[in-house]
Amino acid sequence: MPWVRKRGEGSPAKSPRAAILDENGLRQCLRVAGGATIGFVISKLMGWNYGVFFTVFPMFLLGMVPLLNAGIIRQFLGNAAFNVVEVSLIIGLLQHMPVVMTLVVLGIFLFRFNLMAKGPLFLYAANGVVTLSILLHFASYPGVDLSELLTANLLASVLAVIIAMLMHTLFPDVSPRQPPPRAEKTAAQIRHETLLGGITATLSFVVFQTFDLRDSLSAQMATVLVLFAMGYAGAQVSSIRRIIGTLLGCNMALLIQLLLYSQSHHFLLVIMIYWLGLMLFAREHVREAGGSGVGFGGMTTLGILFGQSLGPSQDLVYSALYRFSSMFVALAITLMVMSCLHSLLNVWTATALPKRN
């Protein structure tokens, strides 16, 4: 994780991106766009709340890993079940003690980033960091029905797995994929990545709790997703790509609203244009060889914005501008925090990254 697709014949050897997708890459694009569209359609037809879960979870499962097997399914569903227990206990027992709750959240994030740094359970830990940060944030508001929130998370996770199985059946890979070689890390490097990710994710949780930023879901997700680069240098690159992807996603959503301004009640037309937008971002995501970059940032932004009404009465312009500006500020602050932590952790030998020759 993240998996790197196999290059097609004739691809430039020095570039991680291919000008033309190979057949496996095209199949993955169809899976991601199709799966996210199905999740969106089902949540809209059923009238379920927390539609972002049903839209983003298929993107995450189909986009972050290009294959599906029993181990991946167990990690994905196991995390969803464990999240229910964690959120129920934390909110039920510790909500009135914010300092204690923050320390417990720190411990949970440190545990998950340690798993991510080691590798084999990356999907379980990464999905847990994203969903747990969102669930804890929304569950802390007094007007939120905790049981409805957790039920939506579980239902969306199960539905994402079913959708992923369907997509892999309809659009299977034409050739076997090879996992990337596992990076060899020293104990100090694992501790560095664990502390850097865990502390930053906890500070993000504290900030969004303190300033009552309920409507800044894109910004909150961005501050967590850039941590998947597992280091400050990688987070810098990921942040720039995430900003570009979010900007493109906002512009795409605004363009779609202009096209559908008086025709937004035609649901089939909405679905078709939404799928087309997802395909464009999915293609970029696959060409970037995985991770949270321009393509994935554009997809998640489009998914969040499409969860709202696209009718003429909906002020999507304000919503898009607010999401982009809040995400830009959140990422800038996150990088500053990571820079300070990165420098501080490199002071001690036990957490210092190995020096490059």
Side-chain angles (χ1 to χ4, degrees):
M1 289 284 298
W3 288 67
V4 179
R5 62 177 177 79
K6 184 179 179 181
R7 289 194 182 97
E9 295 182 3
S11 299
K14 294 183 180 181
S15 175
R17 297 165 46 144
I20 301 176
L21 293 179
D22 60 14
E23 292 191 28
N24 276 358
L26 178 59
R27 298 296 181 93
Q28 187 179 0
C29 288
L30 293 170
R31 291 196 295 264
V32 174
T37 302
I38 291 175
F40 166 76
V41 170
I42 292 177
S43 66
K44 286 297 181 182
L45 292 178
M46 299 300 294
W48 290 331
N49 292 326
Y50 305 104
V52 64
F53 292 152
F54 299 93
T55 304
V56 174
F57 282 8
M59 291 181 187
F60 190 91
L61 184 56
L62 291 166
M64 297 300 283
V65 284
L67 50 80
L68 189 70
N69 54 39
I72 291 174
I73 293 174
R74 283 195 298 267
Q75 289 189 44
F76 194 81
L77 294 181
N79 169 73
F82 203 50
N83 282 160
V84 172
V85 178
E86 290 173 320
V87 175
S88 298
L89 292 176
I90 292 174
I91 298 298
L93 300 177
L94 304 175
Q95 189 174 12
H96 62 289
M97 297 183 290
V99 175
V100 177
M101 183 175 71
T102 301
L103 293 176
V104 172
V105 170
L106 173 62
I108 293 175
F109 281 148
L110 288 175
F111 170 71
R112 278 190 161 86
F113 273 98
N114 184 258
L115 294 178
M116 291 169 65
K118 292 178 179 178
L121 295 177
F122 189 98
L123 178 64
Y124 166 81
N127 188 33
V129 170
V130 173
T131 55
L132 189 61
S133 60
I134 295 173
L135 290 174
L136 285 175
H137 177 63
F138 283 106
S140 64
Y141 289 100
V144 173
D145 187 335
L146 182 59
S147 61
E148 181 185 15
L149 176 65
L150 297 180
T151 300
N153 175 61
L154 274 176
L155 181 59
S157 298
V158 174
L159 183 62
V161 170
I162 296 174
I163 291 174
M165 295 172 65
L166 175 62
M167 291 295 100
H168 278 275
T169 301
L170 294 176
F171 308 108
D173 284 337
V174 296
S175 59
R177 293 178 184 265
Q178 298 298 324
R182 184 178 299 178
E184 296 294 333
K185 298 181 180 179
T186 64
Q189 185 175 357
I190 292 176
R191 286 191 288 267
H192 182 102
E193 294 177 353
T194 299
L195 291 171
L196 183 65
I199 294 174
T200 305
T202 304
L203 291 176
S204 172
F205 166 75
V206 171
V207 169
F208 279 90
Q209 285 279 283
T210 303
F211 292 97
D212 192 18
L213 301 174
R214 186 191 295 226
D215 297 326
S216 301
L217 180 60
S218 294
Q220 185 179 18
M221 288 182 61
T223 60
V224 173
L225 289 173
V226 296
L227 300 177
F228 292 177
M230 304 305 293
Y232 174 61
Q236 288 178 299
V237 177
S238 180
S239 295
I240 295 174
R241 292 177 177 175
R242 182 80 191 178
I243 289 172
I244 296 173
T246 301
L247 179 60
L248 293 175
C250 290
N251 289 332
M252 175 70 74
L254 293 174
L255 177 61
I256 290 174
Q257 188 187 35
L258 291 175
L259 293 174
L260 297 175
Y261 185 77
S262 60
Q263 304 294 325
S264 59
H265 58 284
H266 294 296
F267 193 49
L268 289 178
L269 183 60
V270 173
I271 294 172
M272 182 177 65
I273 297 180
Y274 178 61
W275 176 86
L276 181 61
L278 289 178
M279 273 294 293
L280 293 175
F281 287 120
R283 180 180 183 274
E284 180 63 22
H285 172 68
V286 174
R287 291 177 65 235
E288 290 176 310
S292 178
V294 174
F296 197 75
M299 281 194 296
T300 54
T301 300
L302 195 62
I304 292 172
L305 291 173
F306 250 82
Q308 304 175 11
S309 171
L310 291 177
S313 61
Q314 180 68 35
D315 187 7
L316 193 60
V317 175
Y318 170 79
S319 182
L321 292 176
Y322 175 75
R323 275 176 168 77
F324 177 74
S325 59
S326 62
M327 181 275 306
F328 182 84
V329 173
L331 283 180
I333 296 175
T334 299
L335 285 178
M336 287 190 290
V337 171
M338 292 185 70
S339 176
C340 295
L341 288 174
H342 173 75
S343 301
L344 187 62
L345 291 172
N346 277 330
V347 172
W348 292 285
T349 305
T351 57
L353 293 177
K355 295 182 179 180
R356 297 181 180 180
N357 295 327

